[in-house]
Amino acid sequence: HFNNKPEGGTSRALSNGAEHLADLPEIVPGGQKLPEVHDTSKINRLEDEARKLREAIAEKEAKKRQGVREWDRLQRESETAGLKAELAEGHLRALNGEDESGGAAF
């Protein structure tokens, strides 16, 4: 069974709770929505600004990734060209008889 009588210190807690509830606005009959307490235009403007900043950051990061990929590709091509040049010079020396071993090419 539930006892509706407050026990010991609960009567003071109930009165404090009732005081806090008294500060709330009245319930609108029929379940109608109350007008906004706070102006949401500033919040909407800040959210829009945050969205634009996120888009700008994403765009900058995409350009940066593209630049890094291009840099890596050009670095690999440069290393490949350097190796080809070394091989070509080695073959020319071998054909001209300038082999590092000092022996004849044939």
Side-chain angles (χ1 to χ4, degrees):
H1 292 308
F2 291 106
N3 188 356
N4 290 335
K5 295 180 184 177
E7 297 179 15
T10 58
S11 64
R12 176 140 176 89
L14 290 176
S15 66
N16 284 343
E19 290 174 16
H20 290 295
L21 292 175
D23 293 342
L24 295 176
E26 291 293 321
I27 296 175
V28 176
Q32 297 172 354
K33 185 176 178 181
L34 286 174
E36 293 291 330
V37 178
H38 304 287
D39 183 20
T40 58
S41 62
K42 184 174 181 180
I43 294 172
N44 292 338
R45 183 177 47 82
L46 290 173
E47 287 175 349
D48 188 46
E49 186 177 334
R51 180 189 52 78
K52 287 178 183 177
L53 288 173
R54 282 191 293 271
E55 289 174 358
I57 290 170
E59 186 177 317
K60 284 177 75 174
E61 287 178 349
K63 286 181 182 179
K64 182 179 177 182
R65 282 191 300 272
Q66 183 181 4
V68 168
R69 282 194 303 268
E70 181 71 12
W71 181 268
D72 288 343
R73 183 185 64 81
L74 291 173
Q75 186 176 10
R76 286 191 307 270
E77 286 180 4
S78 173
E79 290 172 358
T80 302
L83 290 174
K84 285 181 180 180
E86 286 180 25
L87 286 173
E89 288 176 6
H91 286 297
L92 279 177
R93 275 190 239 113
L95 289 174
N96 290 335
E98 301 173 12
D99 196 11
E100 284 113 18
S101 63
F106 298 99

